[in-house]
Amino acid sequence: MHELGIVFHIIKTVERVGEENQLSTVSSVTIQLGEVSGVVHTELADCWKWAVKKTELLKNAELLIETIPAVTFCEGCDTTYETVRHGRICPHCGSGHTYLVQGNEINLKEIAAC
């Protein structure tokens, strides 16, 4: 389960930021997950609930998840399209010369603290 590893990394990063900024409590953490990042939202949320209870700074912090839509670019016709809906083959021209532009990221967006 790589979700637990992701949660540990987020917590470590937030704790470092908290120390640098002398934060006493973090109330929420917002992350952005790409639609095709391979991260299961429910698993990530469950791991978060378990892991933050073991920290001081984030003990009751909420995890907020925003989804970044997956978008693919077609080199054949220079257009973009929804990756999940259409896959690797361009729905406009049928070309397979495509690549993912966005949608596989995992970003720490915001830390709300007291």
Side-chain angles (χ1 to χ4, degrees):
M1 172 187 316
H2 69 287
E3 284 81 0
L4 187 57
I6 292 168
V7 165
F8 285 148
H9 182 72
I10 293 168
I11 288 172
K12 184 176 179 180
T13 302
V14 172
E15 287 178 331
R16 182 180 44 78
V17 170
E19 186 176 320
E20 290 171 1
N21 293 280
Q22 301 170 346
L23 303 178
S24 59
T25 305
V26 170
S27 58
S28 69
V29 174
T30 304
I31 62 167
Q32 298 172 315
L33 288 181
E35 192 174 25
V36 294
S37 65
V39 177
V40 179
H41 291 214
T42 56
E43 294 292 326
L44 190 72
D46 288 345
C47 290
W48 177 265
K49 289 175 189 171
W50 175 81
V52 294
K53 290 178 184 173
K54 300 181 180 326
T55 70
E56 287 300 316
L57 182 65
L58 295 113
K59 192 171 279 304
N60 296 309
E62 181 180 11
L63 180 65
L64 305 171
I65 301 172
E66 298 176 356
T67 301
I68 300 171
V71 176
T72 296
F73 178 78
C74 175
E75 294 176 327
C77 63
D78 291 333
T79 60
T80 59
Y81 62 89
E82 298 174 37
T83 306
V84 173
R85 184 172 179 195
H86 300 288
R88 256 200 84 172
I89 304 301
C90 177
H92 305 290
C93 72
S95 173
H97 297 285
T98 60
Y99 61 88
L100 190 65
V101 176
Q102 71 175 36
N104 63 347
E105 308 90 334
I106 302 171
N107 301 321
L108 176 58
K109 180 181 177 185
E110 183 175 68
I111 301 167
C114 304

